Amino acid sequence: MSEDLRRDKRLVRQSFERAAPGYDGAAVLQREVCQRMLERLQYIKHGPRTLLDVGSGTGFGSRGLLKRYPGAALVALDLAPAMLKVARAATPWWRRGPPLGRAGRESLVCGDLDRLPLKASGVDMVWSNLALQWSADLRGALAEMHRVLAPGGLLMFSTFGPDTLKELRQSFAGRDGHRHVNRFTDMHDIGDMLLDAGFATPVMDMEYITMTYGDLHSLLRELKAIGAHSVVSGRRAGLMGRSQWRAMEQAYEQFRRDGRLPATFEVVYGHAWVNRKDPQGGRVIPLRLQRG
């Protein structure tokens, strides 16, 4: 894997552990993308009995899924125990139950999306909102999702594409030789990985969402509040010098429009299916890529 894409999973966990108490107050983009994903479900014909929310965080997506599929049981999985603690506090007691238990029940599981602690072919739908970008092995994570899905199961996800935080990346470029901004996988490469993992009929599309801020410190505070600061290999261990930091801030000012500083997020959406058993042993896997 490219060093630009390699994640330090220990740092990922620590970041979200620290962010958990105030996460819901800062995760505006995450909630918006989740709502857009939930709206897409009305166009997909699927009636899952068991759901897996990978990277469930504080449970916003899990609650939306159970509202959409009230007859399903759900497993909410996250790497950070503190996130699951917040989610549990928001879960009514009558919804707390064993994995794959009674309809409408939700179980919280601390686990890594790169090594899912579930049996093969055990769930009907895997859902993941803005979590795959934290994988240390995206190809392996997609293979794991394929493994736990039953035949006819659906994977639906969102993640960030390579243009995410391009203004910040450009402003940091050449300052000190270190990586300060996470890099993300291209939509077309993710489509290829889905096929390699064995998924059928993957559909990919993307859109740009631009957030604006009064100053650079507000953007950086928000990224820290949602646990989204740099976790790439090769990042700087200490602080930048004052002159380097001032030069970076001045470089970012070139993007200011109408008194606001923009931060671009390239949001990639995808869904794909696990084929039902084919008695002839063959399958056709068309790939449709869209740009929004």
Side-chain angles (χ1 to χ4, degrees):
M1 177 185 291
S2 165
E3 287 297 315
D4 286 344
L5 296 172
R6 192 178 301 278
R7 305 293 188 238
D8 185 326
K9 195 59 68 72
R10 178 182 56 86
L11 290 176
V12 172
R13 183 171 185 168
Q14 289 176 353
S15 294
F16 285 105
E17 283 284 287
R18 288 192 294 265
Y23 183 85
D24 284 336
V28 177
L29 177 64
Q30 285 70 18
R31 289 196 301 273
E32 176 61 28
V33 173
C34 186
Q35 289 285 16
R36 297 184 186 193
M37 284 180 65
L38 289 168
E39 290 171 4
R40 289 172 177 232
L41 289 175
Q42 64 185 305
Y43 304 109
I44 297 177
K45 188 177 181 180
H46 191 46
R49 294 174 298 174
T50 54
L51 303 163
L52 171 63
D53 184 358
V54 175
S56 56
T58 58
F60 182 82
S62 296
R63 293 188 289 274
L65 287 169
L66 286 176
K67 184 176 180 179
R68 174 74 184 177
Y69 303 111
L74 183 142
V75 176
L77 180 141
D78 201 272
L79 184 65
M83 285 286 187
L84 295 172
K85 184 177 180 179
V86 175
R88 181 175 177 82
T91 303
W93 66 267
W94 49 268
R95 276 192 174 172
R96 299 173 187 172
L100 310 186
R102 220 168 58 198
R105 292 300 182 99
E106 179 180 353
S107 280
L108 306 177
V109 176
C110 185
D112 188 347
L113 62 85
D114 292 332
R115 294 184 178 182
L116 296 174
L118 278 78
K119 68 178 182 180
S121 304
V123 298
D124 301 313
M125 179 176 171
V126 173
W127 164 280
S128 183
N129 176 45
L130 295 180
L132 282 174
Q133 68 270 13
W134 304 117
S135 170
D137 176 14
L138 182 54
R139 188 179 298 275
L142 294 173
E144 276 288 273
M145 292 177 179
H146 186 275
R147 179 184 66 80
V148 302
L149 277 165
L154 171 67
L155 166 64
M156 190 166 187
F157 65 89
S158 62
T159 187
F160 288 131
D163 277 345
T164 296
L165 296 175
K166 61 183 180 180
E167 300 91 352
L168 188 60
R169 184 177 299 108
Q170 184 175 330
S171 299
F172 269 121
R175 301 297 166 198
D176 58 3
H178 292 275
R179 300 181 182 91
H180 293 272
V181 183
N182 298 315
R183 290 190 178 273
F184 306 100
T185 305
D186 182 78
M187 175 179 73
H188 297 82
D189 292 333
I190 297 174
D192 290 340
M193 292 179 191
L194 287 168
L195 292 174
D196 291 343
F199 283 100
T201 57
V203 177
M204 306 286 299
D205 66 284
M206 58 78 70
E207 65 177 337
Y208 290 110
I209 298 178
T210 301
M211 309 287 285
T212 63
Y213 302 86
D215 54 66
L216 182 57
H217 291 281
S218 297
L219 165 61
L220 297 177
R221 279 196 302 270
E222 184 170 294
L223 292 177
K224 183 177 181 180
I226 61 174
H229 50 79
S230 178
V231 294
V232 293
S233 298
R235 80 192 198 293
R236 188 185 183 113
L239 298 175
M240 291 180 68
R242 184 174 299 176
S243 62
Q244 291 174 321
W245 185 263
R246 188 177 299 113
M248 187 276 291
E249 287 184 298
Q250 291 173 350
Y252 208 116
E253 281 294 324
Q254 69 179 301
F255 300 107
R256 187 179 290 275
R257 297 292 183 273
D258 300 322
R260 305 284 290 178
L261 291 176
T264 298
F265 293 86
E266 180 185 347
V267 181
V268 174
Y269 302 93
H271 70 266
W273 299 86
V274 173
N275 266 342
R276 298 185 183 279
K277 299 297 183 181
D278 183 348
Q280 302 301 317
R283 61 180 178 173
V284 178
I285 309 177
L287 174 63
R288 178 161 61 92
L289 299 177
Q290 304 173 334
R291 276 202 172 268

